[in-house]
């Protein structure tokens, strides 16, 4: 107790010195205007404000006012809590360091100049943030680059796959050609050697193989040509009045043998029976049916292939159901791709049949759907718009000309080799042939003389076949014009039809083709 | 006049200052100037003076000084639509805000919508809306959706305070 | 099968005799293509000649020549100079082979 008393004066003295020193420092700071202060009660009513508060932009703070009215940054703050706000910028003011120091009855708000801190931090932080942004940009660029690279790799893989498909197609198709060709040539040799020695049945059997092989090759080539034509946009539909039942019967007859030889049943079920006549491109419809039903037979080793053909509401629908090997889910995505063939199915082909069929069906405004289960079978549903029509059935045999060779032909052909041979072959069939070397001569002679049929080459000097035909038609000459050309391009055919040609033959032409087509044209003409 | 404190928070360089300046002064600067501390501005919306605290963005070195958030009546969380990581950041930012000042009305601006690298996938968007936040695809450059952003926040604050007491 | 008449046979041998001449013509085109390229007019001429060859060779049962010249004629616009030259060479060989 006495110790405390003894030292009391000393402690007080020391405290006084401290307070005085703090007061001095504070005054010095204040005098140098390095801080300002505001004293408020807990309801923000101003008790006291340092005179230099206006240097901080708060000149109109008066005792008794609500401090929050004059000073925005106080809005929302708690007058009972200590708060340190190191750098605060208000519009048109220097950065300040604000500290809230609450006491029992009041709150002191101290404002200190923070310009130096602000400037230093601004420099460092600006640089750091800009660096980081650059890094982020760089990362983004790298990611973009990687993405582009990945896309290129994918594209490359796709291209390689396409190229692989083409190659495997080439080897597949070569194989496909070789087998029937070998059979064909082999039997031709056999026939040639034994023509005299073997029985007629044997010869007929060998002829059948030759014919079958030939047809197969032909269908392959046709598929290939069709695919090319689709790619070149050269396929045009040619809807005609056809007898649906007739087509179905015909297709059945064509495929029945193939199914029987594999000991599977091929059932045709048509509703109504007979199916009506309607407007459809018959050759394309036949192609669709042969492709799909042919495939079903090809991929079915036991059981049956069922074809349900219905015609209702001007729609022709076909359902082809088989009990074959079926298609796996993975393969299903590929079946429509050109040149694709199921791996290891043991069947060969061009891988084009289905692609072409789908494109034809689409072109006809129809739909093709495949539903399949591996090991159970496949069902293909096809619907094609089929406008109904009345079909007259003229007896085409009644008017058949008796002497199909005895006709007068005008042959317009500039190639002497072709002209000489064709003329000779026609004459040998009993025809009369007048040969001219260009379209102009053809027009001139057609004005003077009458012909049954004009055989017109398309590419000729002076006046070509198109212009010559057009000119003939313009003059009212209705003589059937049968065009012969070495071009297999559909556009040429279309153009020829537009100028008024009646028939179209692709060179090399066989004389019997000329004769039968000429005959058909004349039949049609006399029927009109 | 009634006054409300709202805070702009988000990662650095997402456009907090640009959105504020677009809204307050209808101006835009291409130049990037990083904010230090907090910049205070104000604007009047529907007879209410909004005191906008544009708080320095978070970066890898410095966290946000949450002292600046004290007493905020609403929060605008901002991300950069061309930097997906800044969108992800919103979730941790939100936790930080709640920890400091509790639940207050909050809107989200995914900024730089004018930029061709802007991307906000469904997953990100769903994750944000599942927090109950209104999402605005804003452009401080064009001003697109900027007034809506602040208007919706102000309305939300109004709805909350009319039930409780006005500060 | 019907026997071929003497006249037809005579035409066929005449055609066959013309094949070396045709091969020489193709050789000439091949040379042009490899030494600076066939002129634009020359290309038209060649195309039209191939068109005729496709027709006549087929008529005289030189199917391969016919098919080849037809496909060459149709693909000509898409061929590079090198491809065209190599196909002309092939055609020349085909014609020479058939002439034997």
């Amino acid at each position: 107790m006495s110790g405390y008393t003894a030292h009391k004066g000393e402690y007080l003295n020391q405290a006084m010195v401290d307070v005085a020193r703090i007061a001095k420092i504070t005054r010095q700071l204040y005098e140098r205007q390095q801080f300002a202060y505001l004293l408020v009660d807990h309801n923000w009513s101003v008790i006291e404000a340092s005179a230099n508060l206006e240097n901080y932009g708060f000149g109109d703070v008066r005792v008794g006012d609500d401090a929050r009215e004059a000073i925005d940054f106080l809005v929302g703050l708690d007058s009972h809590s200590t708060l340190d706000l190191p750098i605060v910028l208000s519009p048109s003011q220097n950065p300040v360091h604000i500290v809230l120091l609450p006491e029992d009855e009041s709150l002191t708000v101290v404002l200190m100049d923070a310009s130096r801190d602000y400037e230093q931090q601004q420099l460092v932080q600006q640089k750091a943030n800009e660096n980081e942004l650059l890094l982020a940009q760089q990362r983004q660029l790298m990611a973009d680059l990687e993405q582009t690279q990945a896309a290129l790799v994918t594209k490359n893989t796709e291209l390689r796959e396409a190229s692989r498909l083409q190659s495997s197609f080439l080897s597949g198709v070569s194989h496909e050609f070789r087998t029937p060709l070998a059979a064909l040539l082999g039997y031709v040799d056999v026939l040639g050697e034994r023509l005299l020695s073997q029985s007629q049945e044997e010869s007929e059997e060998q002829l059948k193989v030759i014919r079958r092989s030939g047809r197969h090759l032909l269908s392959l080539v046709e598929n290939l040509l069709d695919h090319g034509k689709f790619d070149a946009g050269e396929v045009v539909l040619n809807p005609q009045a056809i007898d649906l039942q007739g087509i179905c019967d015909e297709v059945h007859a064509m495929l029945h043998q193939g199914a029987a030889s594999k000991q599977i049943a091929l059932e045709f079920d048509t509703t109504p029976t007979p199916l009506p006549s309607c407007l459809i491109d018959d050759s394309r419809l036949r192609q669709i049916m042969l492709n799909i039903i042919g495939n079903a037979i090809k991929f079915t080793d036991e059981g049956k292939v069922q074809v349900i053909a219905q015609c209702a509401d001007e729609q022709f629908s076909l359902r082809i159901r088989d009990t074959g090997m079926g298609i796996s889910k993975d393969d299903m995505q590929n079946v429509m791709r050109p040149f694709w063939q199921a791996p290891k199915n043991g069947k060969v082909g061009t891988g084009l049949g289905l692609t072409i069929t789908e494109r034809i069906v689409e072109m006809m405004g129809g739909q093709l759907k495949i539903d399949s289960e591996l090991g159970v079978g496949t069902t293909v549903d096809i619907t094609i718009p089929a406008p109904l029509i009345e079909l007259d059935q003229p007896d085409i045999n009644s008017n058949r000309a008796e002497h199909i060779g005895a006709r007068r032909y005008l042959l317009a052909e500039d190639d002497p080799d072709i002209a000489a041979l064709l003329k000779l072959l026609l004459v040998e069939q009993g025809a009369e042939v007048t040969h001219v070397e260009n379209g102009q001569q053809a027009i001139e002679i057609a004005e003077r003389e009458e012909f049954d049929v004009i055989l017109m080459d398309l590419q000729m000097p002076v006046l070509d076949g198109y212009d010559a035909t057009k000119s003939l038609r313009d003059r009212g000459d209705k003589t059937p014009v049968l065009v012969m050309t070495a071009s297999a391009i559909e556009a040429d055919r279309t153009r020829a039809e537009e100028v008024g040609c009646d028939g179209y033959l692709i060179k090399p032409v066989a004389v019997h083709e000329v004769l039968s087509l000429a005959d058909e044209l004349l039949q049609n003409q006399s029927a009109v | 006049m009634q006054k409300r404190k709202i805070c702009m928070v988000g990662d650095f360089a997402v456009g907090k200052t640009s959105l504020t300046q677009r809204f307050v002064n209808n101006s835009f600067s291409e130049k990037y100037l990083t904010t230090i501390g907090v910049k205070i501005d104000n604007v009047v919306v529907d007879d209410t003076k909004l005191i906008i605290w544009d708080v320095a963005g978070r970066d890898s070195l410095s966290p946000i000084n949450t002292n600046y958030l004290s007493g905020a009546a609403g929060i605008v969380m901002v991300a950069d639509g061309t930097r997906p990581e800044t969108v992800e950041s919103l979730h941790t930012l939100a936790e930080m805000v709640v920890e400091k000042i509790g639940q207050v009305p909050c809107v989200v601006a995914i900024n730089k919508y004018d930029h061709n690298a802007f991307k906000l996938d469904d997953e990100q968007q769903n994750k944000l809306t599942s927090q109950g936040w209104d999402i605005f695809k804003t452009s401080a450059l064009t001003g697109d959706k900027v007034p809506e952003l602040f208007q919706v926040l102000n309305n939300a604050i109004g709805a909350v305070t009319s039930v409780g007491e006005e500060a | 099968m019907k026997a071929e008449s003497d006249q037809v046979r005579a035409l066929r041998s005449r055609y066959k005799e013309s094949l070396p001449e045709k091969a020489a013509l193709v050789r000439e085109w091949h040379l042009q293509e490899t030494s600076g390229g066939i002129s634009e007019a020359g290309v038209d001429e060649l195309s039209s000649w191939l068109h005729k060859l496709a027709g006549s060779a087929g008529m005289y049962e030189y199917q391969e020549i016919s098919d080849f010249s037809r496909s060459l004629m149709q693909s000509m616009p898409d061929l590079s100079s090198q491809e065209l030259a190599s196909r002309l060479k092939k055609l020349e060989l085909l014609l020479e082979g058939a002439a034997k």
Side-chain angles (χ1 to χ4, degrees), chain A residues 373-476:
Chain A
E373 198 177 328
L374 197 60
V376 177
T378 303
T379 302
V380 179
D381 279 300
I382 297 171
T383 49
I384 301 166
L388 291 179
I389 47 140
E390 289 294 319
L391 191 63
D392 298 327
Q393 286 253 309
D395 184 358
I396 48 168
N397 292 321
S398 64
N399 286 331
R400 193 172 282 280
E402 281 170 21
H403 307 288
I404 57 166
R407 303 212 188 276
R408 288 154 299 166
Y409 286 88
L410 171 59
L411 172 62
E413 168 65 67
D414 64 325
D415 186 295
D417 293 324
I418 296 175
L421 184 61
L422 195 55
K423 180 174 176 181
L424 183 59
L425 292 172
L426 285 168
V427 169
E428 283 182 350
Q429 296 295 318
E432 284 175 29
V433 181
T434 304
H435 170 229
V436 292
E437 287 170 0
N438 62 51
Q440 187 58 41
Q441 290 175 356
I443 296 169
E444 284 164 13
I445 201 158
E447 273 193 340
R448 298 196 303 271
E449 292 176 35
E450 204 162 305
F451 296 95
D452 293 316
V453 173
I454 299 173
L455 300 176
M456 185 80 83
D457 183 21
L458 280 182
Q459 211 180 67
M460 287 186 291
V462 187
L463 192 67
D464 68 19
Y466 298 114
D467 289 341
T469 308
K470 186 165 187 306
S471 174
L472 284 171
R473 294 296 180 246
D474 289 347
R475 285 154 202 251

Side-chain angles (χ1 to χ4, degrees), chain A residues 33 52-53 96 127-128 303 334 354 382 384 444 511:
Chain A
Q33 301 196 341
N52 63 348
L53 201 58
V96 284
K127 201 155 272 178
N334 291 320
L354 210 49
I382 297 171
I384 301 166
E444 284 164 13
V511 74

Side-chain angles (χ1 to χ4, degrees), chain B residues 54-121:
Chain B
D54 174 14
V55 181
R58 177 169 69 173
D59 63 74
S60 52
L61 299 172
S62 39
I64 284 178
N65 183 342
T66 53
N67 279 355
Y68 295 122
L69 307 180
S70 286
I75 300 286
V76 179
M77 297 207 298
V78 187
D80 176 347
T82 71
R83 284 151 65 208
E85 70 276 10
T86 66
V87 180
E88 284 304 308
S89 285
L90 295 177
H91 298 280
T92 53
L93 279 172
E95 282 171 22
M96 185 198 73
V97 169
V98 171
E99 196 179 315
K100 180 73 183 177
I101 60 169
Q103 291 282 359
V104 293
C106 179
V107 288
V108 172
I110 311 295
N111 195 32
K112 308 194 187 176
Y113 192 51
D114 54 274
H115 202 291
N116 55 17
F118 185 99
K119 218 177 94 193
L120 183 67
D121 60 40

